[in-house]
Amino acid sequence: MPLPTPRRRSMPSGSRHRTPVHRRRRRTGFRIALAMVLAAVPAVILLNTSQAAAPTGLDDPVKKEIAMRLVSSAENSSLDWKDQFDYIEDIDDGRGYTAGIVGFCSGTHDMLDLVEYYTDQVPDNPLAEYLPALREVDGSDSHEGLDPGFTDAWKEAAQTSQFQAAQEHERDRVYFDPAVSRAKGDHLQELGQFAYYDAIVMHGQEGFDSIRDAARAEADTPAEGGDETTYLNAFLDARVTEMKKEAAHEDTSRVDTAQRVFLDDGNLRLDTPLSWHVYGEPFEITSDPEPGTSPTPSPTTTGEPGGGDEQLISRGRPATSSSDEDSALTAGRAVDGDPATRWASEEGSDPQWLRVDLGENSTVSRVKLLWEAAYAKGYRVEISADGTSWNQLAVEANGNGGTDEWTGLSGKGRYLRVYGTARGTAYGYSLFEVEAYGTTGAGPGPTDPPTDPPAGAFTVVGAGDIADRCDQGDAGCQHFKTADRAEAIDPAFYLTLGDNQYDDAHLDDFKNYYDKSWGRFKANTYPVPGNHESYDDYENRDEKAYREYFGSRATPQGKMWYSYNRGNWHFVALNSNRFDEREQLDWLKADLAANGKKCVAAYWHEPLFSSGDHGNVPVSRPVWELLESSGAELVLNGHDHHYERFAPQTRDAKADPNGIVEIIGGAGGKDLYGAGDTVQPNSAKRIWDKFGVLKLDFTDTGFRSQFVGTDGTVLDTSPTYSCH
């Protein structure tokens, strides 16, 4: 989920105290236009450089060490930046592998430059054999030729002083030196030099230039005769504005509760002691650090303060939750002992809970909660012998995230529950770890009985923009993969969201391509046409081949729009090519008036709201108005080739809990378009670079949606919505 800006308040009274937690946060991907920077600077420079000019600012070794620790607190939730040389993972940001001390990426050229430079210095190194593959994947998120050995080779190389020196060299060449040089030219002291450096690390040279231009439009630099504090405030304001343009950067605490704090204190020289917060976590540098040394880690508590027989009893125990945001953020991740994994509930819904089975007759004297940025403002810690009757151990009414530790507790039972009553953010609840200390009882006991499925439960799979004119063996052909994933889900039925066959949806193309993938479900598919179906008979804009291929399933009620029921749901399938025809609108009005089901879902091709390449399609507005007036819950569309989920909204794009949820599922197989120019209001989730299908779980009283990638990964999960 996006990281909201955590808030930290004064410590409330009571038996709870907070301790800092050091963990590696998910990296956000730093460069927007890095290739332009790298192209402008030669890549090959000897490791042993000649003597440089005497440092006069942030390039002083002590100040530079402070700068490295400040950046690391934001990028890794740790001051120990030297611990990141061997870091490498794909964080699914479209840049391939992200690695090392500033996130060199296989898709943004700087990782290639680094490995080429390192290989010039040390030809016989573990990464040299991967240079051809790095050149091939440069500019993409592909791992082709890198897996499975590249990550191990990176970690092996990172143990050598030569590769560590190479990383530091490239960090300085691309980020640090250009930032400090520009800041000195603007007559900024160490704080301003650091603000420039941190901005280039995140936004790249082009992004930094944009921020600086915006700041200079508001205030003069000291070199231009302006006041340094006034200018830096303008720069930080522009930085925050830039960060909020991208969901991955929308947590601005590295500015608001770090750089801005130093500026408000008048500490333009970055003199120690320094104290700041990032993502709600506290950090400090009490005195000038010695360059080349690692910071002393803060002590962590693993047993009872003051001694005793207290033990950690929650680690690895069975855990359940009220909901999970997706399949990678389940309850067990909060008791696995790994501070990099977490549980997250569905977004936007209260209450939510996480329950741990400690074993019968366990005692609990202390509970420690490590919150992710999506924290609880209000919650209870409870214990129960049977999972039904709960006794309260602790209550929080004004939480602010970070680490909560409750001591002096006196609880006895089998189940421990953290019960969230008020979210601290617009998202859900998310815990890295739940740690319960005390003594264990007789063991976990019998497994909880399975719960019956909700009344009327059934699953539907849908997708739009599906079949390209390619065969299963063709490189990059995706519609066979989405068909395989749809079949693996085993839904009650399938629906399509238009543009089922490309390019002009002729009958031969349907038979040669769509029929061999999604065609296996034709007898159990409820389709709608898209604009490409109308290209078959281009002169008359008629979906002739679509009707011929799908037969009666295209026109079950005589027209290319129809309705049907399943459980407590009424489904309406529409033809957006003909929204300008009064006949379809009159039919829809009468159909909705005659509907006797509690819940309504509608689907057609062209969406009223979209952040994608096509954008909003106003021709759909009269249809939305009729659905909104009838209290419909869900609208599904295609047309733009990406996945997007909107929060409930009205026809005028006003957020409304009683509004309609719109989901775009245009990633069914045809080429993806990528990000559009404008993110529309109420857009809750956008995935531009993954093919996949919509999985829709319906009950008699509501629904939940998921976007499932072709590899089976659940990439997004909606809240569970109730029918109006």
Side-chain angles (χ1 to χ4, degrees):
M1 69 177 65
L3 292 177
T5 303
R7 294 167 288 176
R8 183 165 289 273
R9 305 176 178 85
S10 59
M11 187 183 302
S13 60
S15 61
R16 183 182 54 138
H17 64 277
R18 299 184 183 276
T19 56
V21 55
H22 300 286
R23 59 184 180 267
R24 171 177 285 159
R25 300 193 67 83
R26 176 183 173 91
R27 305 223 179 180
T28 53
F30 310 130
R31 291 145 311 280
I32 307 297
L34 183 59
M36 296 177 63
V37 184
L38 296 170
V41 185
V44 179
I45 303 173
L46 294 178
L47 280 171
N48 296 318
T49 57
S50 59
Q51 184 176 359
T56 58
L58 201 68
D59 45 0
D60 175 87
V62 171
K63 298 294 187 181
K64 186 173 184 179
E65 179 67 29
I66 291 173
M68 298 304 114
R69 295 186 183 189
L70 286 168
V71 170
S72 186
S73 72
E75 294 298 331
N76 308 299
S77 287
S78 167
L79 298 181
D80 192 0
W81 62 272
K82 295 179 182 295
D83 191 41
Q84 311 306 319
F85 286 112
D86 65 350
Y87 164 77
I88 182 167
E89 66 175 321
D90 189 326
I91 61 174
D92 294 324
D93 62 352
R95 295 176 172 92
Y97 279 120
T98 297
I101 56 175
V102 287
F104 303 99
C105 291
S106 59
T108 60
H109 193 66
D110 61 337
M111 182 180 286
L112 172 59
D113 269 0
L114 168 63
V115 176
E116 286 181 334
Y117 169 55
Y118 174 46
T119 301
D120 283 341
Q121 312 306 311
V122 186
D124 186 17
N125 73 75
L127 296 171
E129 65 178 286
Y130 294 98
L131 277 172
L134 284 171
R135 295 184 182 108
E136 287 296 321
V137 303
D138 190 22
S140 76
D141 64 354
S142 173
H143 294 180
E144 187 172 357
L146 299 177
D147 292 338
F150 182 69
T151 56
D152 289 339
W154 180 281
K155 293 175 181 179
E156 179 183 350
Q159 304 307 309
T160 68
S161 59
Q162 295 96 328
F163 190 47
Q164 293 176 13
Q167 288 193 40
E168 292 190 55
H169 174 270
E170 289 296 281
R171 173 204 62 201
D172 291 349
R173 181 178 70 87
V174 178
Y175 302 115
F176 188 83
D177 292 346
V180 172
S181 176
R182 177 61 65 86
K184 287 183 177 181
D186 287 341
H187 293 184
L188 298 177
Q189 300 178 70
E190 284 86 347
L191 176 58
Q193 294 170 32
F194 173 73
Y196 276 22
Y197 170 54
D198 190 61
I200 288 182
V201 165
M202 175 175 282
H203 303 284
Q205 184 69 52
E206 185 176 288
F208 164 77
D209 287 342
S210 176
I211 294 168
R212 180 174 176 270
D213 288 345
R216 293 178 66 215
E218 298 296 326
D220 290 336
T221 68
E224 296 167 329
D227 176 75
E228 185 170 8
T229 299
T230 301
Y231 172 73
L232 284 179
N233 268 312
F235 182 84
L236 296 182
D237 288 343
R239 171 83 188 281
V240 167
T241 299
E242 184 67 22
M243 289 174 71
K244 289 183 175 180
K245 292 179 181 179
E246 187 176 351
H249 296 157
E250 67 181 2
D251 184 321
T252 59
S253 62
R254 68 198 293 159
V255 173
D256 301 329
T257 55
Q259 297 172 46
R260 189 87 70 178
V261 171
F262 307 148
L263 182 60
D264 290 345
D265 289 343
N267 191 355
L268 298 176
R269 296 295 310 275
L270 275 183
D271 291 329
T272 57
L274 295 168
S275 178
W276 71 99
H277 292 80
V278 182
Y279 308 126
E281 297 178 26
F283 296 93
E284 63 178 4
I285 301 175
T286 57
S287 59
D288 285 354
E290 182 179 346
T293 63
S294 295
T296 302
S298 299
T300 58
T301 303
T302 58
E304 181 183 10
D309 296 329
E310 187 184 55
Q311 298 177 345
L312 177 60
I313 60 175
S314 55
R315 182 71 50 81
R317 289 288 185 169
T320 56
S321 58
S322 53
S323 67
D324 301 323
E325 183 184 352
D326 61 42
S327 61
L329 302 172
T330 54
R333 303 300 177 90
V335 291
D336 62 1
D338 184 349
T341 63
R342 59 187 174 95
W343 164 70
S345 73
E346 65 184 21
E347 297 181 1
S349 178
D350 294 309
Q352 299 288 338
W353 50 262
L354 183 142
R355 188 181 75 179
V356 184
D357 188 343
L358 302 175
E360 294 179 359
N361 299 316
S362 295
T363 63
V364 175
S365 55
R366 180 162 59 99
V367 172
K368 186 176 180 181
L369 306 176
L370 283 69
W371 293 101
E372 199 255 352
Y375 64 95
K377 181 179 180 181
Y379 67 89
R380 303 191 299 265
V381 179
E382 303 172 322
I383 198 164
S384 172
D386 57 8
T388 301
S389 300
W390 295 90
N391 296 318
Q392 187 173 287
L393 296 179
V395 179
E396 172 61 272
N398 199 28
N400 53 13
T403 300
D404 292 348
E405 189 161 3
W406 300 89
T407 61
L409 305 178
S410 181
K412 186 174 183 179
R414 173 177 172 179
Y415 301 101
L416 181 82
R417 183 169 72 174
V418 180
Y419 191 90
T421 56
R423 288 166 289 118
T425 72
Y427 303 100
Y429 298 87
S430 184
L431 282 160
F432 284 107
E433 286 293 307
V434 173
E435 296 181 352
Y437 294 86
T439 60
T440 58
T447 303
D448 288 338
T451 57
D452 293 330
F458 63 98
T459 296
V460 175
V461 167
D465 308 277
I466 298 172
D468 200 353
R469 290 187 292 181
C470 60
D471 296 317
Q472 188 164 10
D474 295 343
C477 193
Q478 296 291 331
H479 62 99
F480 290 92
K481 296 179 181 179
T482 59
D484 289 343
R485 180 50 49 198
E487 185 174 35
I489 294 172
D490 191 26
F493 59 88
Y494 305 82
L495 52 85
T496 70
L497 305 176
D499 281 4
N500 310 284
Q501 177 61 59
Y502 283 82
D503 282 329
D504 296 333
H506 297 317
L507 184 59
D508 285 346
D509 289 333
F510 266 110
K511 291 179 178 179
N512 290 332
Y513 305 109
Y514 181 94
D515 191 62
K516 295 177 180 178
S517 57
W518 282 71
R520 71 186 82 157
F521 320 130
K522 184 165 69 169
N524 197 24
T525 296
Y526 294 88
V528 296
N531 55 294
H532 276 263
E533 270 78 18
S534 72
Y535 301 162
D536 173 57
D537 183 357
Y538 188 81
E539 183 176 349
N540 298 307
R541 291 287 176 164
D542 183 24
E543 305 90 339
K544 181 180 178 182
Y546 165 80
R547 295 195 304 274
E548 291 179 357
Y549 175 74
F550 281 105
S552 62
R553 301 206 69 83
T555 56
Q557 296 167 358
K559 301 290 183 178
M560 287 180 288
W561 52 85
Y562 57 96
S563 64
Y564 55 97
N565 296 324
R566 176 74 179 230
N568 207 23
W569 281 82
H570 183 64
F571 291 87
V572 183
L574 300 171
N575 182 351
S576 57
N577 298 329
R578 299 171 185 258
F579 278 172
D580 58 348
E581 297 179 11
R582 191 71 222 177
E583 181 184 8
Q584 183 173 193
L585 294 179
D586 289 344
W587 172 89
L588 175 60
K589 185 176 181 180
D591 178 83
L592 293 172
N595 169 48
K597 298 295 183 179
K598 179 179 180 180
C599 313
V600 176
Y603 58 102
W604 64 87
H605 186 57
E606 298 186 23
L608 178 58
F609 305 109
S610 173
S611 302
D613 187 68
H614 289 305
N616 297 352
V617 184
V619 73
S620 299
R621 182 181 173 89
V623 173
W624 186 287
E625 290 175 347
L626 289 172
L627 292 164
E628 184 178 317
S629 298
S630 71
E633 284 72 31
L634 176 64
V635 162
L636 306 172
N637 304 118
H639 196 44
D640 263 325
H641 295 196
H642 71 281
Y643 166 82
E644 185 167 15
R645 173 172 57 82
F646 288 84
Q649 60 183 325
T650 68
R651 68 195 77 178
D652 299 316
K654 302 296 185 184
D656 184 345
N658 294 314
I660 297 174
V661 174
E662 180 197 293
I663 303 173
I664 296 175
K670 181 59 175 171
D671 303 333
L672 300 174
Y673 289 165
D677 294 330
T678 304
V679 175
Q680 298 299 323
N682 308 306
S683 177
K685 182 71 174 182
R686 299 165 301 283
I687 297 176
W688 308 108
D689 60 349
K690 303 291 183 184
F691 292 96
V693 299
L694 302 181
K695 179 177 181 286
L696 304 157
D697 296 315
F698 297 97
T699 70
D700 278 350
T701 58
F703 74 95
R704 184 185 75 162
S705 70
Q706 292 182 319
F707 180 54
V708 185
T710 55
D711 63 355
T713 301
V714 177
L715 301 171
D716 181 50
T717 300
S718 78
T720 297
Y721 292 103
S722 297
C723 295
H724 302 150

